[in-house]
Amino acid sequence: QVQLVESGGGSVQAGGSLRLSCARSGYIRGPYCMAWFRQAPGKEREEVAHIRTTGDSTFYVDSVKGRFTISLDNAKNTLYLQMNSLKPEDTATYYCATDRRSFCYARTSAAYEYKDWGQGTQVTVSS
């Protein structure tokens, strides 16, 4: 059984930085796609970034390009999201997710396209 545990959220002022981590336990036959989603109150869950476990096939939603960086450490089974130049509109609960497909789509993905989810970590950016 796959479990995902996010950490690293918190409260920062606009312009600040945070690094989120997602530790995976349980076996998934690789390669596979991993993603970060976020959900603000009253809004749908949206994909922020994804990466294949081979380190390629990265994707970013337009609103975070140039500010966020997704990466992974396969030795530690950990996915990261480095968030710089944070804005109040980045405030949301951030979730990591994995799927079983061996590729990542070259487009934004919907939440239903991912199988496993963490419990989320809150990010609050004040102006």
Side-chain angles (χ1 to χ4, degrees):
Q1 184 176 356
V2 174
Q3 288 190 321
L4 303 173
V5 179
E6 301 97 335
S7 61
S11 296
V12 296
Q13 290 191 326
S17 298
L18 286 171
R19 188 175 82 154
L20 306 183
S21 299
C22 172
R24 176 185 60 79
S25 61
Y27 176 75
I28 303 176
R29 181 178 179 179
Y32 53 92
C33 196
M34 297 191 74
W36 286 100
F37 279 75
R38 66 185 179 187
Q39 188 168 20
K43 294 188 177 181
E44 292 188 358
R45 192 170 295 191
E46 68 165 347
E47 186 181 47
V48 173
H50 66 232
I51 187 170
R52 195 165 66 155
T53 53
T54 49
D56 59 3
S57 300
T58 56
F59 166 87
Y60 298 92
V61 69
D62 286 346
S63 59
V64 307
K65 282 181 180 177
R67 300 189 298 121
F68 291 11
T69 303
I70 190 171
S71 63
L72 51 77
D73 185 333
N74 285 320
K76 296 181 178 180
N77 294 327
T78 301
L79 178 73
Y80 301 100
L81 185 69
Q82 177 67 44
M83 306 186 295
N84 299 327
S85 302
L86 282 161
K87 303 176 180 180
E89 51 263 43
D90 295 319
T91 296
T93 301
Y94 284 71
Y95 301 88
C96 67
T98 68
D99 194 51
R100 299 292 183 274
R101 42 190 163 85
S102 62
F103 61 93
C104 292
Y105 294 114
R107 57 164 173 78
T108 187
S109 299
Y112 72 83
E113 294 178 295
Y114 286 86
K115 179 178 175 62
D116 309 293
W117 292 86
Q119 82 289 348
T121 186
Q122 178 67 36
V123 172
T124 303
V125 185
S126 59
S127 57

